[in-house]
Amino acid sequence: TLIHSSDPAIQRSLWQVALQRGLFVFSDRVEDYSTRLVRNEHRPTIGKTEFFHSLKNVFHEQFQAEVLQYLRGLHPTAQGVVLKQGDGGKDIVVYDIGRVYACYAPAKITDWNENDVITKIRSDFQKAQTNLESALKEWVFIHNHPQSALSNRISNCVLELRDQNPGISYLDAWGIAELWDQLQRPRP
């Protein structure tokens, strides 16, 4: 639905109604979840193409910082973990629900070595579990693979972690496409 008005009083009303109904507002228009999402207070909305571009062209800590900004639309209390002191397998934490996000974004696709990714997943999960113990309720591995895909062996590693850790209520791996899909779901 597209609603337009140049009257400032009507625009303010549109903003209030749209935000109450879970719609997104940009400039003087309102759009639904399928095309745009809230990013942060500095860049309040972003389209799908810009979203994918913004994450495919950043790596390492910059990828983690961008993911954190997007996740704050899903979890306003999400916090990054200081890297200088070691992150303990926790790149991003949402304390109120016990969710940890581990990010992986090598600079080149040639750095996407299957064994290294499996080691990273197992290592980050184990560190988070050791550091948080029973406070760890959910764990998500977010990666920047260009096809938003994982190999059979990497997928099996995630499934094995699920089977071995029944106390973790949500354990998953998301590429950029899955992160977009998660951000499109309205919060309860």
Side-chain angles (χ1 to χ4, degrees):
T1 304
L2 182 63
I3 304 170
H4 177 78
S5 174
S6 57
D7 182 323
I10 293 174
Q11 286 179 4
R12 278 190 298 278
S13 295
L14 289 174
W15 273 75
Q16 291 172 343
V17 169
L19 292 173
Q20 289 170 351
R21 294 184 180 176
L23 300 173
F24 296 102
V25 179
F26 55 103
S27 58
D28 58 349
R29 299 179 303 167
V30 177
E31 284 195 11
D32 68 21
Y33 287 98
S34 63
T35 59
R36 300 192 74 76
L37 61 91
V38 170
R39 173 142 187 220
N40 62 40
E41 65 278 1
H42 303 293
R43 288 189 272 175
T45 61
I46 186 169
K48 188 173 185 176
T49 301
E50 185 183 353
F51 173 83
F52 277 81
H53 182 74
S54 74
L55 289 173
K56 284 187 176 186
N57 295 305
V58 294
F59 310 99
H60 306 296
E61 287 83 12
Q62 189 179 358
F63 177 80
Q64 180 179 327
E66 288 290 316
V67 168
L68 174 60
Q69 291 304 311
Y70 290 122
L71 285 174
R72 285 189 173 145
L74 189 62
H75 309 292
T77 61
Q79 296 180 23
V81 176
V82 178
L83 296 174
K84 292 179 184 173
Q85 300 170 359
D87 63 20
K90 307 176 305 287
D91 293 326
I92 300 168
V93 180
V94 185
Y95 293 103
D96 56 340
I97 61 171
R99 180 177 278 190
V100 168
Y101 290 93
C103 298
Y104 182 72
K108 297 180 279 187
I109 189 62
T110 55
D111 292 342
W112 257 91
N113 175 294
E114 189 175 65
N115 290 329
D116 291 346
V117 176
I118 290 170
T119 299
K120 170 78 170 153
I121 290 171
R122 287 189 175 137
S123 171
D124 278 2
F125 179 78
Q126 184 61 46
K127 284 188 237 174
Q129 193 173 43
T130 299
N131 285 306
L132 294 172
E133 297 175 346
S134 64
L136 180 64
K137 307 288 184 214
E138 303 175 351
W139 188 83
V140 180
F141 179 75
I142 300 179
H143 61 87
N144 73 338
H145 190 277
Q147 284 81 39
S148 233
L150 296 175
S151 71
N152 186 44
R153 282 187 59 226
I154 297 170
S155 295
N156 285 346
C157 171
V158 173
L159 293 171
E160 287 169 12
L161 284 175
R162 274 189 196 164
D163 286 346
Q164 295 165 358
N165 297 281
I168 305 299
S169 63
Y170 184 81
L171 196 149
D172 208 352
W174 300 347
I176 296 170
E178 290 79 18
L179 176 59
W180 171 264
D181 291 343
Q182 291 292 324
L183 293 169
Q184 299 311 300
R185 296 183 180 155
R187 290 185 304 270

